[in-house]
Amino acid sequence: MNKSKIWLSSPHMGGNEQNYVQEAFDTNWVAPLGPNVTGFESDLEQYLGGEKYVAALSSGTAALHLALIQLGVGPGDEVICQSMTFSASANPIVYQGATPIFVDSEPDTWNICPNALEEAVKDRIAKGKKPKAIIAVHLYGMPFQVDAVMAIANKYEIPLIEDSAEALGSHYKGQKCGTIGAFGVLSFNGNKIITTSGGGALVTGNQATKEKIVFLATQARDAAPHYQHSEIGYNYRLSNICAGIGRGQMEVLDKHIQLRREMHAFYNELFKEIDGITLFTEPNSDYFSNHWLSAITVNSEVRNGITSEQLRLRFEAENIESRPLWKPMHLQPVFEGLPYYGGNVAENLFLNGLCLPSGSNLSDSDRERIAAVINSI
Ligand SMILES: *Cc1c(COP(=O)(O)O)cnc(C)c1O
């Protein structure tokens, strides 16, 4: 039996990436600028559609950081952030000397709960500080409750940063994730739906904001023959080599989304006969998830005591990677004691949930090995 490692989500090259990288070498554009950077940005702009402008950056974290800077977030400010997420959603708030205010999820999309969000906004305003921004996340590719969340952002006039790092290609009522908020954040890290080996992008609504973001990302150089600076800058631009990988990946993005969705359909087929295990699925046809990761929750009372952790260990014994859901930020030691609004939805998801191998590059024999573990319970 083939016991090679089955990963949760590993890089999947389309074939043309090396041609773009070779071109960068051939033309000596081995730098954090060049034709691949511009080409990758315009590929993304076309893909996202609408009047959107994309700045290619060194990571999704850098994109979040620059979005906060552009919104004027500074020391003493408060920023609301979905608690159930990867730490990179929240860390840039702290880089700016501001305080994260964490908010629970709702059970349908696992993303920010509109009721808890409004409670948080009202309470922070009552306590004397209106939050400077809201960071909402499309977890595992699933769009958050866009209409309800945007209604609150608009009602209280708080800009919304859409952490779409896991949701390139997902959409809500036909509108692509990343194009909905004041800013959209994308990530091209090694495990994401497309990779540049490491990279990210910030999506903005106008050309001038994009230019400002690129200015900040390239050390904030004033227009002068010498090096002159009137603002603090960052070294956050994407390299022309990495962008070349991105251009190749854009050619296969839609195909890879289709393959991830086929993995989800494969799990749907497997789990439909198994009581007590629920596959994370779009609530209705308004939602289209790229199914970056397929995930389940396990009800151990129904499963005769089998927990998500025991299932994870069974996979591990077969050299198959699976992973608990994101541990909520309000339960992380580093964020201990910070304000939190909501109940225990995110906490219960963390305690009972598991992400399953979801890559677009899994083979039939990989699927057989995965099915064998699941059928053994
Ligand atoms: C991956 C990820 C990020 C950060 O992106 P990097 O490119 O790794 O810096 C931010 N938010 C979420 C939800 C992510 O999954």
Side-chain angles (χ1 to χ4, degrees):
M1 187 177 162
N2 175 15
K3 289 273 184 167
S4 63
K5 177 108 178 176
I6 298 177
W7 299 95
L8 208 59
S9 176
S10 67
H12 184 189
M13 294 300 107
N16 250 342
E17 291 83 358
Q18 277 181 309
N19 297 334
Y20 289 109
V21 171
Q22 188 61 48
E23 203 175 293
F25 275 80
D26 291 345
T27 52
N28 207 26
W29 281 105
V30 186
L33 78 168
N36 281 337
V37 176
T38 343
F40 184 41
E41 286 177 341
S42 87
D43 290 348
L44 285 163
E45 284 165 2
Q46 267 179 31
Y47 185 81
L48 292 172
E51 300 286 285
K52 289 293 168 181
Y53 298 85
V54 173
L57 301 169
S58 55
S59 69
T61 312
L64 275 152
H65 191 192
L66 292 180
L68 292 172
I69 290 168
Q70 185 63 15
L71 291 172
V73 172
D77 287 337
E78 294 184 348
V79 173
I80 290 182
C81 184
Q82 179 169 323
S83 182
M84 183 146 173
T85 185
F86 179 44
S87 64
S89 305
N91 285 339
I93 302 169
V94 180
Y95 302 166
Q96 284 307 98
T99 304
I101 309 292
F102 293 116
V103 171
D104 201 3
S105 291
E106 39 79 17
D108 291 340
T109 73
W110 298 2
N111 293 311
I112 198 161
C113 168
N115 298 334
L117 171 62
E118 184 156 28
E119 186 200 332
V121 171
K122 280 185 179 162
D123 192 55
R124 299 325 289 179
I125 292 173
K127 286 190 162 70
K129 233 175 229 176
K130 180 170 155 178
K132 269 282 183 77
I134 297 167
I135 300 174
V137 189
H138 306 294
L139 226 49
Y140 306 118
M142 185 68 71
F144 55 75
Q145 290 187 3
V146 169
D147 286 346
V149 171
M150 287 310 297
I152 293 163
N154 293 335
K155 177 173 167 189
Y156 294 93
E157 298 183 319
I158 304 174
L160 185 125
I161 300 172
E162 217 190 325
D163 184 343
S164 198
E166 303 177 359
L168 179 60
S170 299
H171 47 85
Y172 176 83
K173 293 186 176 171
Q175 191 174 2
K176 288 249 166 71
C177 291
T179 68
I180 296 161
F183 287 98
V185 169
L186 302 175
S187 168
F188 316 116
N189 210 329
N191 60 348
K192 299 289 157 74
I193 195 131
I194 64 166
T195 181
T196 59
S197 74
L202 192 60
V203 185
T204 76
N206 65 71
Q207 178 83 35
T209 310
K210 171 184 168 171
E211 278 164 16
K212 181 69 195 291
I213 294 298
V214 171
F215 165 80
L216 290 172
T218 49
Q219 307 288 24
R221 276 188 70 187
D222 292 343
H226 53 279
Y227 277 83
Q228 175 164 304
H229 308 273
S230 313
E231 276 183 75
I232 294 295
Y234 300 83
N235 184 4
Y236 277 173
R237 196 72 162 129
L238 187 67
S239 93
N240 196 53
I241 301 294
C242 295
I245 304 174
R247 289 180 85 181
Q249 290 273 276
M250 285 306 288
E251 295 177 3
V252 291
L253 172 57
D254 277 331
K255 185 167 151 238
H256 286 190
I257 290 171
Q258 191 196 325
L259 290 166
R260 298 238 177 198
R261 288 178 58 85
E262 281 171 19
M263 277 309 293
H264 185 269
F266 157 79
Y267 286 118
N268 193 40
E269 202 53 39
L270 270 177
F271 287 119
K272 76 177 181 202
E273 306 291 336
I274 303 182
D275 285 342
I277 295 187
T278 311
L279 181 66
F280 184 38
T281 303
E282 289 114 332
N284 60 53
S285 60
D286 289 342
Y287 296 81
F288 178 93
S289 171
N290 65 14
H291 288 310
W292 170 57
L293 293 186
S294 289
I296 53 170
T297 49
V298 180
N299 182 335
S300 60
E301 278 164 35
V302 177
R303 292 296 327 145
N304 295 325
I306 289 186
T307 63
S308 55
E309 177 58 11
Q310 282 163 349
L311 187 54
R312 189 187 71 78
L313 292 171
R314 288 207 193 186
F315 278 123
E316 191 173 79
E318 296 298 321
N319 207 18
I320 299 170
E321 186 183 29
S322 65
R323 191 181 295 152
L325 305 185
W326 298 119
K327 180 173 180 175
M329 291 304 113
H330 72 281
L331 302 176
Q332 297 285 356
V334 71
F335 294 125
E336 205 180 316
L338 291 179
Y340 171 71
Y341 293 83
N344 54 8
V345 174
E347 183 170 2
N348 281 333
L349 286 168
F350 168 62
L351 292 174
N352 300 308
L354 196 66
C355 296
L356 304 174
S358 307
S360 44
N361 49 1
L362 296 178
S363 66
D364 284 341
S365 83
D366 292 338
R367 274 183 284 274
E368 277 167 31
R369 284 172 57 196
I370 293 165
V373 172
I374 293 167
N375 289 328
S376 79
I377 63 167

